[in-house]
Amino acid sequence: MKNTKYDFESVVDRHNTDSVKWDLFDDDLPMWVADMDFKVAPKISEAILERANHPVYGYTIVTDELFDAYISWWDRRYGLKMSREDMAYAMGVMPSISSMIRCLTDVGDEILIQTPVYHVFFYVIEENDRKVLENELIFENGEYKIDFDDLDEKLSKVKMMILCNPHNPIGKIWSREELDRIDELCRKHDVILISDEIHCDLTDPGVKYNPFRANDNVIRCLSPSKSFNIAGYQSSVVHATNPELLEKIKSQIHIDNSDSCNVFATTAVRSAYNESEDWLEELREVLYENKQIVRDYLSEELPIVKLIECDATYLLWLDCSALNTPSKALSEFLRQNQGLFISAGSDFGQCGDNFLRMNIACPQKLLKEGLDKLKAGVIALNNINRLSKNI
């Protein structure tokens, strides 16, 4: 690993911390859920400890300083101008999307998503008694692209589309041309566009994502939770330049009790955006190096599994089609045989069934252990399949 100012090498034991990733199941090495196994930026820790030293943890307000931190971040990093009056606080991106589904669509409505995509999009639509309409991404020659003809046709049937930018799980940054085309089609069919941009900062060094342009039909969901590994503080904002739309959203978020603030949330967010940018820059270098390790390992040690090239997120999309095994069966076999938990591609839509999603946001020691487990599991599976054919 390259020399870094911050510690991205130490393996932190997260057991017995009520961690979803490490304590929910019994797996030896969980590489599924999207949080990182790196120590948080020191400035964030210091700020939280300072707040924790105050002996009262009462109800907390959402301060202007929190919104100022968001405004400054998007201005200086992406040249995106945001105003305080165009923003609403929410406990998280998915709680706010759930609220928006309830206040901007009706029971029974179809909502469009582009699959394979973050599996919670399915749940939040279906559990609100709406229906999923899939605009499947086209996979050709190892790359994904949008089927715009299909998108045009299906947008005529819906009131809302949920976009993932950068896209999870394929790690693609949508181009300005692609975003403008989506915008054009949503305007044509008068469709509200929710843009989940939670992975926006986690791009390869020297690469930036393209924010969705603000307009009357667009709602952007923003949070530092993925970038700085502070999802446990449950903090996000909704950005919408349409006052009528934003007022409806604020009202619903309030009804859903999702606009309250964790006692440490504003402290964590301000410290992340105002004091920890250099930590993020190092993190991006580390994640890029981890990606190269995976690419080289698969090429040299496990060529039957192909890495789908990407420019963003720490979630890698692995093409396992040559194994001829459904992704849920493959994922479960790796867990039982090796104690390695990698997400089944079918979780992200049936069109993802030839794939696995692997979280590489961990020290290289754990990453290499995970790759060795993946290789051993694939070899064991192939041996079992070979024996079965000979029986």
Side-chain angles (χ1 to χ4, degrees):
M1 179 179 287
K2 296 175 183 176
N3 290 331
T4 56
K5 175 182 175 183
Y6 299 106
D7 180 9
F8 293 99
E9 295 187 53
S10 296
V11 175
V12 180
D13 185 358
R14 296 179 61 188
H15 289 103
N16 303 313
T17 62
D18 301 326
S19 164
V20 168
K21 189 174 186 179
W22 289 89
D23 289 329
L24 185 60
F25 302 114
D26 253 350
D27 306 289
D28 294 337
L29 185 53
M31 303 182 82
W32 60 289
V33 70
D35 77 3
M36 298 189 280
D37 290 316
F38 299 122
K39 295 179 181 179
V40 75
K43 288 291 185 182
I44 297 176
S45 294
E46 292 166 11
I48 292 298
L49 289 172
E50 182 179 347
R51 175 62 187 87
N53 281 332
H54 189 285
V56 180
Y57 306 141
Y59 293 119
T60 303
I61 62 172
V62 181
T63 64
D64 285 339
E65 286 80 10
L66 177 137
F67 292 104
D68 290 342
Y70 274 92
I71 290 167
S72 174
W73 183 262
W74 260 267
D75 185 13
R76 71 178 186 268
R77 287 187 72 87
Y78 306 112
L80 184 70
K81 306 292 183 183
M82 298 193 298
S83 300
R84 169 67 185 88
E85 59 267 23
D86 295 334
M87 302 167 74
Y89 183 84
M91 289 177 63
V93 167
M94 292 318 300
S96 65
I97 290 178
S98 184
S99 293
M100 287 185 272
I101 287 172
R102 282 193 288 279
C103 71
L104 301 176
T105 66
D106 297 315
V107 170
D109 282 349
E110 291 184 302
I111 296 175
L112 187 141
I113 57 177
Q114 295 177 300
T115 52
V117 75
Y118 181 43
H119 60 286
V120 181
F121 284 3
F122 289 90
Y123 306 154
V124 78
I125 293 169
E126 293 168 346
E127 290 173 2
N128 276 302
D129 298 316
R130 276 68 169 173
K131 299 173 184 176
V132 171
L133 185 61
E134 298 183 41
N135 168 227
E136 288 188 13
L137 300 174
I138 298 170
F139 183 62
E140 286 181 346
N141 302 318
E143 294 184 0
Y144 281 93
K145 62 182 180 180
I146 296 171
D147 185 341
F148 279 107
D149 290 335
D150 182 69
L151 181 62
D152 188 7
E153 189 268 327
K154 287 178 176 173
L155 282 175
S156 67
K157 304 175 182 179
V158 303
K159 294 179 182 176
M160 177 179 287
M161 172 181 174
I162 305 175
L163 175 76
C164 199
N165 180 39
H167 193 92
N168 168 17
I170 67 173
K172 187 177 182 72
I173 300 171
W174 299 118
S175 69
R176 176 54 58 201
E177 292 74 23
E178 288 167 322
L179 295 176
D180 287 347
R181 179 63 175 148
I182 293 171
D183 185 22
E184 177 188 331
L185 293 176
C186 284
R187 287 170 180 266
K188 172 184 174 181
H189 296 290
D190 195 24
V191 171
I192 295 169
L193 187 286
I194 297 176
S195 183
D196 174 359
E197 305 187 13
I198 199 169
H199 292 279
C200 66
D201 301 312
L202 297 170
T203 60
D204 289 351
V207 178
K208 289 187 178 181
Y209 95 115
N210 301 299
F212 210 101
R213 299 185 198 274
N215 67 55
D216 283 351
N217 278 17
V218 173
I219 305 158
R220 299 171 62 248
C221 297
L222 311 172
S223 175
S225 61
K226 297 297 183 201
S227 308
F228 293 94
N229 207 32
I230 53 175
Y233 288 120
Q234 297 184 303
S235 181
S236 74
V237 300
V238 172
H239 176 242
T241 56
N242 182 329
E244 182 180 348
L245 212 55
L246 187 62
E247 198 52 45
K248 288 181 181 178
I249 295 166
K250 283 182 178 179
S251 228
Q252 188 66 50
I253 289 173
H254 181 67
I255 290 168
D256 296 335
N257 291 305
S258 291
D259 57 353
S260 58
C261 187
N262 181 295
V263 67
F264 298 111
T266 57
T267 298
V269 171
R270 291 198 308 265
S271 180
Y273 282 152
N274 296 337
E275 302 179 299
S276 304
E277 194 165 3
D278 61 337
W279 181 90
L280 177 68
E281 293 307 316
E282 282 200 359
L283 169 69
R284 294 169 68 214
E285 294 281 354
V286 169
L287 294 177
Y288 182 72
E289 189 172 333
N290 280 5
K291 193 182 300 182
Q292 309 313 307
I293 289 171
V294 174
R295 179 184 293 110
D296 293 344
Y297 187 98
L298 294 180
S299 175
E300 296 167 11
E301 302 287 339
L302 195 60
I304 197 170
V305 175
K306 307 295 183 184
L307 173 65
I308 303 305
E309 294 298 331
C310 65
D311 293 320
T313 86
Y314 50 71
L315 305 166
L316 297 189
W317 195 232
L318 306 179
D319 182 352
C320 303
S321 55
L323 298 177
N324 295 312
T325 303
S327 61
K328 281 197 179 297
L330 178 56
S331 175
E332 190 56 32
F333 182 84
L334 291 170
R335 294 180 73 183
Q336 296 297 324
N337 186 267
Q338 292 293 319
L340 173 67
F341 188 179
I342 303 180
S343 300
S346 59
D347 290 345
F348 307 91
Q350 197 54 39
C351 59
D353 198 31
N354 285 327
F355 300 83
L356 295 176
R357 191 191 75 170
M358 183 180 191
N359 179 348
I360 62 164
C362 59
Q364 288 181 7
K365 180 178 184 296
L366 291 183
L367 178 61
K368 291 171 182 176
E369 181 183 337
L371 289 169
D372 286 340
K373 284 179 176 292
L374 176 62
K375 178 183 176 182
V378 168
I379 290 172
L381 179 64
N382 281 342
N383 287 338
I384 290 171
N385 290 339
R386 194 176 300 115
L387 287 171
S388 298
K389 290 177 181 177
N390 293 332
I391 292 175

